[in-house]
Amino acid sequence: MDHHLILRVVTRLLVAPILLFGLYVQFHGDFGPGGGFQAGVIFAVALILYGIVFGLSRLRSIFPDRWVMRLLAFGLLLYAGVGVVSLIQGGNYLDYNVLLPSAKAGQHYGIIVIELGVGITVFGVMMAIYYGFAGRPPSIEDTDW
Amino acid sequence: MTDLAVTLLLFFALVSTAIAIALLRSLFAVVMLSGVFSLLAALLFIAMDAVDVAFTEAAVGAGISSVLMLGTIALTARHEMKPKRWSATPLIIVGIIGAFLIYGTLDMPAFGDPNAPVQTYLNPDFIARTPKEIDVPNIVTAVLASYRGFDTMGEVAVVFVAGLGVTMLIGGSGGFLRRRYRETVLSRKDGQA
Amino acid sequence: MSLLFDTAFIGTHLNYWLFVILMMTGLYIVVARGNLLKKVVGLNLFQASVFMLYISMSKIAGGTAPIEIPDPNAVYSSPLPHVLILTAIVVGVATTALALALIVRINEAYGTIEEDEVLEIDRAKSLAETAREDERDNEEARAV
């Protein structure tokens, strides 16, 4: 898309605020609408927008393929790991009350960590799916759209 | 009254979008209209007090789904084939199923009824316990992450497996699948050209 | 049957019927259209109307979104259907992506994404196979 000057300039301006908004949605999910599922998608959307406008190879140099699979697994492991930690502390699986001395603080920490796990996995899955579709040789030329 | 008017207006926009999707044969237009459908659905969710769901529908349905479907069109075809013959059978089947479903709704609780089972069994309990036990203002997050944490972990695992499945089907940079793809499909295309 | 002419009843049950209409539009696309991508779009319509049905059940008259506000008399819509549908939407897009990936693979194997053409190619292939097997059987019979 080298010939679309307006798209390129606007994308450059938009990517950083979209990433920031993704972080806001991730960590503000306890207080307003939002949470890991939405934040993961919004974070992936910023990178996908960059990839669509500036080309897949430039996106790959910023965010390499091997990181996608690592993040994908790491998010789910983080979620399951919180359950294991609460087991070690003597509670039930995924019982956040025992994570910290105060039950309410434990709940807050537990929710933030598992939402982070959800966000990382959803982000990784969306990037893996996008790389899968965009990485194939297209049957329609760019100018035919 | 305004609530009902807004809901009806949104609903008629939704139905006309759905009918346009059924009739159009340009797949590009179909994909764009399905994005419009998702945005209208998100507005309807806000009108029914489900802000979290509306947020997700707008980000996922209008954002990611459209990108994926456009990617699929780029890899396959832009137009749907003209059907060889028109048959009334699907219309009859759909009509019968719809009639049965509407018959099933006749003894459903009224819209917004405070005495409906949805509102009386678990709802007061969750709303009363959340400030005392978890102390986060968003009750949806409290139920999602804490009371139903096990369920959400299963959902994340489903998303994880779907991501792995897509990568195995069409992803991967190199390796057996990509090599075989180059040998068969690309050489066939060169032969045609 | 007198229920159907009761305006109050219609007003409070209209939402269910409207979602059934949307659902049936989606089902019609899935059953009647042969293009695989269009079938996936139809399934998405069907899915979205099921979501709306769930969310409309959680709405309470005069209520607000289930995010706590300082007002002690506030009435909140039921958060439980919201939680179920929130996760269902994300799982839905992941499974849609899987379906689209399968469509891409079908296009690579058959060169088309029309259901009729795929079935035709399959039928031609199996016919050719049976013909070859018949030939082999005949030859064996002759040899004996």
Side-chain angles (χ1 to χ4, degrees):
Chain A
M1 291 214 180
D2 289 342
H3 46 290
H4 296 297
L5 182 65
I6 294 175
L7 275 183
R8 289 162 66 87
V9 172
V10 171
T11 305
R12 251 178 234 275
L13 284 175
L14 274 181
V15 167
I18 294 176
L19 289 175
L20 203 59
F21 183 61
L23 286 175
Y24 166 78
V25 171
Q26 172 79 54
F27 294 110
H28 200 261
D30 310 356
F31 303 98
F37 284 105
Q38 296 93 329
V41 172
I42 291 172
F43 223 76
V45 161
L47 293 190
I48 290 173
L49 176 67
Y50 188 87
I52 289 174
V53 174
F54 291 102
L56 194 61
S57 52
R58 271 182 79 176
L59 180 60
R60 279 216 158 106
S61 66
I62 300 169
F63 189 74
D65 269 19
R66 57 178 188 280
W67 280 102
V68 176
M69 281 295 142
R70 283 176 195 171
L71 285 181
L72 203 72
F74 176 70
L76 189 57
L77 282 176
L78 192 63
Y79 198 138
V82 173
V84 174
V85 168
S86 62
L87 272 185
I88 292 171
Q89 303 269 10
N92 286 327
Y93 193 70
L94 288 175
D95 176 9
Y96 314 135
N97 283 338
V98 295
L99 290 179
L100 285 178
S102 144
K104 274 186 188 175
Q107 288 284 351
H108 287 188
Y109 271 79
I111 288 176
I112 283 184
V113 174
I114 67 118
E115 288 273 11
L116 192 64
V118 171
I120 290 172
T121 295
V122 171
F123 168 71
V125 168
M126 295 304 157
M127 289 309 290
I129 292 171
Y130 174 69
Y131 276 161
F133 279 95
R136 298 234 142 198
S139 66
I140 301 174
E141 296 295 321
D142 188 23
T143 47
D144 287 348
W145 287 92
Chain B
M1 202 60 222
T2 36
D3 264 15
L4 189 67
V6 168
T7 314
L8 279 181
L9 195 73
L10 281 174
F11 175 75
F12 285 115
L14 280 168
V15 167
S16 35
T17 316
I19 290 173
I21 290 175
L23 294 180
L24 282 174
R25 269 207 300 279
S26 160
L27 291 178
F28 183 71
V30 166
V31 170
M32 286 296 125
L33 281 175
S34 84
V36 169
F37 187 90
S38 287
L39 282 178
L40 288 170
L43 286 176
L44 196 61
F45 288 145
I46 291 180
M48 294 191 290
D49 289 346
V51 279
D52 276 277
V53 180
F55 197 170
T56 319
E57 178 72 33
V60 169
I64 295 280
S65 289
S66 305
V67 170
L68 294 181
M69 286 183 186
L70 287 179
T72 314
I73 294 178
L75 295 173
T76 55
R78 284 184 68 193
H79 289 282
E80 187 188 359
M81 220 175 49
K82 213 170 174 167
K84 279 181 196 127
R85 62 198 179 284
W86 189 84
S87 145
T89 326
L91 215 55
I92 296 168
I93 293 172
V94 162
I96 292 172
I97 296 175
F100 271 117
L101 283 176
I102 287 177
Y103 175 69
T105 64
L106 290 185
D107 48 3
M108 291 282 279
F111 182 64
D113 182 7
N115 298 317
V118 187
Q119 313 290 356
T120 50
Y121 279 108
L122 287 168
N123 185 33
D125 195 38
F126 277 129
I127 289 172
R129 280 167 63 178
T130 298
K132 272 183 259 154
E133 291 180 359
I134 299 183
D135 197 25
V136 298
N138 189 346
I139 306 171
V140 175
T141 302
V143 176
L144 179 96
S146 189
Y147 291 121
R148 298 246 161 181
F150 229 142
D151 184 24
T152 309
M153 193 173 95
E155 308 270 12
V156 175
V158 171
V159 174
F160 170 75
V161 170
L164 281 188
V166 171
T167 312
M168 285 165 105
L169 277 171
I170 60 171
S173 52
F176 168 73
L177 287 173
R178 178 54 62 92
R179 251 199 330 276
R180 209 178 127 200
Y181 172 72
R182 282 217 187 94
E183 280 161 13
T184 54
V185 176
L186 291 187
S187 64
R188 203 158 63 208
K189 266 187 193 159
D190 288 346
Q192 281 168 1
Chain C
M1 270 295 107
S2 63
L3 278 178
L4 287 180
F5 302 103
D6 182 355
T7 39
F9 182 79
I10 291 175
T12 53
H13 285 69
L14 192 62
N15 59 319
Y16 301 122
W17 303 338
L18 299 181
F19 298 142
V20 167
I21 293 173
L22 268 185
M23 213 181 278
M24 288 306 109
T25 317
L27 185 64
Y28 177 78
I29 296 175
V30 176
V31 177
R33 290 317 191 95
N35 188 291
L36 294 176
L37 184 77
K38 199 125 173 220
K39 274 181 197 280
V40 172
V41 174
L43 275 177
N44 274 342
L45 289 192
F46 191 95
Q47 197 185 24
S49 45
V50 173
F51 295 162
M52 290 174 204
L53 184 73
Y54 256 78
I55 297 298
S56 81
M57 283 190 236
S58 77
K59 167 82 180 158
I60 188 166
T64 174
I67 295 175
E68 269 158 22
I69 48 175
D71 181 8
N73 296 322
V75 180
Y76 302 106
S77 292
S78 178
L80 208 55
H82 297 188
V83 175
L84 296 177
I85 297 312
L86 179 73
T87 48
I89 290 176
V90 180
V91 171
V93 77
T95 47
T96 301
L98 205 58
L100 293 174
L102 283 171
I103 291 175
V104 169
R105 299 295 304 212
I106 288 172
N107 185 57
E108 281 167 8
Y110 290 88
T112 174
I113 56 168
E114 299 288 339
E115 194 186 25
D116 294 347
E117 292 181 357
V118 171
L119 289 177
E120 224 162 77
I121 292 171
D122 266 353
R123 212 171 295 135
K125 223 181 248 172
S126 72
L127 273 182
E129 218 150 83
T130 359
R132 228 177 299 137
E133 267 171 25
D134 285 351
E135 191 115 326
R136 213 181 305 133
D137 288 350
N138 285 343
E139 265 171 34
E140 274 169 17
R142 243 175 278 146
V144 170

